[in-house]
Amino acid sequence: MALRLGGLSAGSCWRAARGGGGGLSAGAGSRAAGRTCRPPGAAGREPSRGLGHSPAARGGPRPGTGLSGALAGLAGLAGLAAAAFGRAERAEAEPRSRGPRSPSPGRRQDGDDDDDDDELGRRCRCFMAPPVTALRELRARPGDMKTRMELLVLETQAQVCRALAQVDGGARFSVDRWERKEGGGGISCVLQDGHVFEKAGVSISVVHGNLSEEAAKQMRSRGKNLKTKDGKLPFSAMGVSSVIHPKNPHAPTIHFNYRYFEVEEADGNKQWWFGGGCDLTPTYLNQEDAVHFHRTLKEACDQHGPDLYPKFKKWCDDYFFIVHRGERRGIGGIFFDDLDSPSKEEVFRFVQSCAQAVVPSYIPLVKKHHNDSFTPQEKLWQQLRRGRYVEFNLLYDRGTKFGLFTPGSRIESILMSLPLTARWEYMHSPPENSKEAEILEVLRHPRDWVH
């Protein structure tokens, strides 16, 4: 199964222009037919020696906490960065003309220069909005992991939004670019009330500053020995996160999140780690869909080691557990955190493979089911299952909780993962041997879908 998102034939690119509200039209691909955005750092893949975690994480599933967990969360759709929201701007995403480009305020940032026709400038024109970091700074450090990861999350955001818009057939993404006064910012792309999707959010954040003492304390509790200078601990963090809720109860919900965290200690030493994952939440069980989704993720993981998929699948099953219900949020996928070995390059390539697997793992399922007929009873069951989704995100997801209890949080971004509609009924229980009971059995007892 092909994992290169650059192979998507539509390949439309958009430019972002600051100003009034607007969106991304699904039908615009023909104006830039054949153009694709090459995944960053896509030089050939090499066999991996095997990926590993920091000492605290090797013992078993330990979801990220504090600022790292906030990037993990949304429900993580802004997690850490949303917790320090400063100023938002609405951008209009539209197809880019092949004709001469006129200056646009949305295309330039402080520190940018006029040379936007080099490779980096051309790649950036395929994004939903200009990078958070000024192009001049990105050009000055092309091999730095912060540059490479920022470009990866921006490219992933654009490619997922493109695929969703094409399936929806007319929906428009609102593009909100926001800034964090302490450093950095993000881009939140949201589609609501589309033809196919009730709500789809794809958000990126690129932030930096000094960790709070509480965040540093939480990281130390996970086994990280962090040395501060004058009580300060500089950090950089970036990630992409998405939750997509289709209208049809036979089309599943998906969540994914991929992130990078870097801390500079008092002696100049830098600690770094990656985290992320991707999981599927169907309303009804479809064996073929479950196998396709998990097999696609397994193929991405297997490029970097045969032990990764089973390890990260179990971690996912353990993390997305609704304790008070005794069931998982969905049928799982992969989840990992504190990934910091064998090398930064090898872990980045693994994360890149996982990000590139999002579209082929999910979009075929939506195309397959978005026109399926359904009954009022099936729609009701979807609403009840979305209630469970809300319960997990608000009660257990570490990133969501961190953001909600942080002063100055950007609540809109933190809660972007929640569906537009959900339902709770007192003591609801599906009939035995029903399709509803079938999915509950799987949520209570996870299955191995690929062996």
Side-chain angles (χ1 to χ4, degrees), residues 50-81:
L51 306 179
H53 314 276
S54 61
R58 291 191 184 103
R62 186 189 294 267
T65 57
L67 290 173
S68 180
L71 271 177
L74 197 259
L77 278 171
L80 153 70

Side-chain angles (χ1 to χ4, degrees), residues 204-278:
I204 70 103
S205 58
V206 180
V207 297
H208 54 86
N210 289 302
L211 286 179
S212 67
E213 182 55 39
E214 178 62 24
K217 180 180 178 181
Q218 289 176 333
M219 289 184 180
R220 291 189 185 102
S221 72
R222 289 159 50 208
K224 296 188 179 297
N225 182 22
L226 303 174
K227 300 181 287 291
T228 63
K229 181 178 181 181
D230 300 327
K232 295 183 178 180
L233 196 61
F235 79 95
S236 297
M238 55 211 63
V240 57
S241 188
S242 175
V243 179
I244 301 162
H245 297 288
K247 289 184 171 181
N248 194 303
H250 296 293
T253 287
I254 190 176
H255 158 259
F256 71 87
N257 172 284
Y258 294 104
R259 57 197 180 274
Y260 173 71
F261 207 93
E262 186 176 285
V263 176
E264 183 175 346
E265 299 181 274
D267 58 4
N269 178 56
K270 292 184 179 180
Q271 292 199 39
W272 58 269
W273 58 93
F274 291 83
C278 184

